[in-house]
Amino acid sequence: MVRGSGAALRRYGTFIDDLRLYVRGGTGGMGYPRLGGEGGRGGDVYFVAQERTTLRSVKNRYPQKRIVAGTGANSSVRALKGEKGKDCEVHVPPGISILDDDGKQIGEVNAAGERFLAARGGLGGSLATNFLPSKGQKRILHLDLKLIADVGLVGFPNAGKSSLLSKISHAKPEIANYAFTTIQPELGKIMYADYKQILVADLPGLIEGAHANKGMGHKFLKHVERTKHLLLVVDISGFQLSTKTRFRTAFETILLLTKELEQYKEELLTKPALLAINKMDLPCAKDNLNELMKQLQNPQDSLHLLQEEVIPENTLKFRDIIPISTYTGEGIEELKACVRKSLDEEAEQENADYRKKKLLLLQTSGEQKHRG
């Protein structure tokens, strides 16, 4: 167990989800006093979302983490209006929040092609400035990546999330029988017969205390924020991180996962959620499942037996509970169907809400015109 978690900490460095950059717009060009010429404006720095780009590639391209746009051309006898300096476009992955050095969010790019003006170029010299140019805007910005996916797999280490992702999609995550196999988020796509695709993110295993940033809690939990649905994956036989930590039953595991999500950000519990109960091929799995289903139906009956630190303020309501085995394949097709159904129902609800709002707006504007 310790060997696994140590490897995780060392190798997490290959994945970057936060990058600090110095950006500066280009300086404007000199004006031409004798003929009243105006220097060109300095170039701008833009962040542009692009698929198949990573923050690692941004860091590799700008190893000094310093990005400066082109200087505007000076005014001259041949060109009284100097040309604008060259813009600098930095390709970043979709799902980036842009924060200033005080940690305040000032923008985001979520879909391929979206642009954010990171630093504006300085004005060229002109009569108004005594023909002297101004310098470009300079800032220190943080790029914070939160994965965008339809479904986020959430569970403690070794619950079988990596195995599940490999079963339901074409992803090939690393799988082993020690904790913390997954040390960076993995993305996979479920492909359906009618060509519908659903993006699934395997989020690295949480541990107790992740909300307080134990282990790498916040690095992992923040990726849950932009997933539309949660899919909790729980080992039916329970979980124990190491010999020094307490053994947790499947029921306690569900409560603890809920508590970690709740204490990190309460709104996470409003997301639609499904529950996959894994390792149903193990001996006693059916007996354990019967016990777990009773506990989930009437959780209040069992809470008095548990320590207070395990119990969340609110419980998650699961749209479906699906027993599975990633080893034998049991329940995998049913799980895929449930994920699809849940996403379709949510999209239909969103469309209905949008139509209601639109109708209400039309009615309101019609009444205002009538009064006028």
Side-chain angles (χ1 to χ4, degrees), residues 279-290:
K279 306 191 183 179
M280 287 303 297
D281 52 284
L282 294 177
C284 302
K286 291 214 166 24
D287 292 341
N288 289 342
L289 179 64
N290 290 335

Side-chain angles (χ1 to χ4, degrees), residues 152-155 229-234 250-259 261 268-277 292-293 295-299 312 314-323 335 338 341-342 345:
L153 302 183
V154 179
H229 280 48
L230 303 178
L231 175 54
L232 270 65
V233 185
V234 170
F251 180 59
E252 284 177 285
T253 303
I254 293 163
L255 293 176
L256 275 166
L257 286 170
T258 305
K259 183 145 185 145
L261 295 170
L268 293 178
L269 298 192
T270 63
K271 289 179 184 287
L274 298 99
L275 173 63
I277 300 165
L292 176 61
M293 293 305 282
Q295 290 170 317
L296 289 172
Q297 278 162 10
N298 298 294
N314 301 289
T315 51
L316 268 173
K317 302 283 188 292
F318 296 109
R319 292 188 167 196
D320 282 297
I321 298 173
I322 311 102
L335 176 62
C338 287
K341 178 169 159 273
S342 185
E345 282 173 358

Side-chain angles (χ1 to χ4, degrees), residues 297-347:
Q297 278 162 10
N298 298 294
Q300 299 304 323
D301 295 350
S302 306
L303 293 183
H304 69 282
L305 301 170
L306 307 173
Q307 306 83 19
E308 204 173 313
E309 69 267 17
V310 178
I311 304 166
E313 293 283 322
N314 301 289
T315 51
L316 268 173
K317 302 283 188 292
F318 296 109
R319 292 188 167 196
D320 282 297
I321 298 173
I322 311 102
I324 63 165
S325 165
T326 54
Y327 181 70
T328 64
E330 176 194 338
I332 297 297
E333 288 307 312
E334 187 192 343
L335 176 62
K336 284 161 72 173
C338 287
V339 167
R340 169 80 183 263
K341 178 169 159 273
S342 185
L343 279 161
D344 286 349
E345 282 173 358
E346 192 65 18

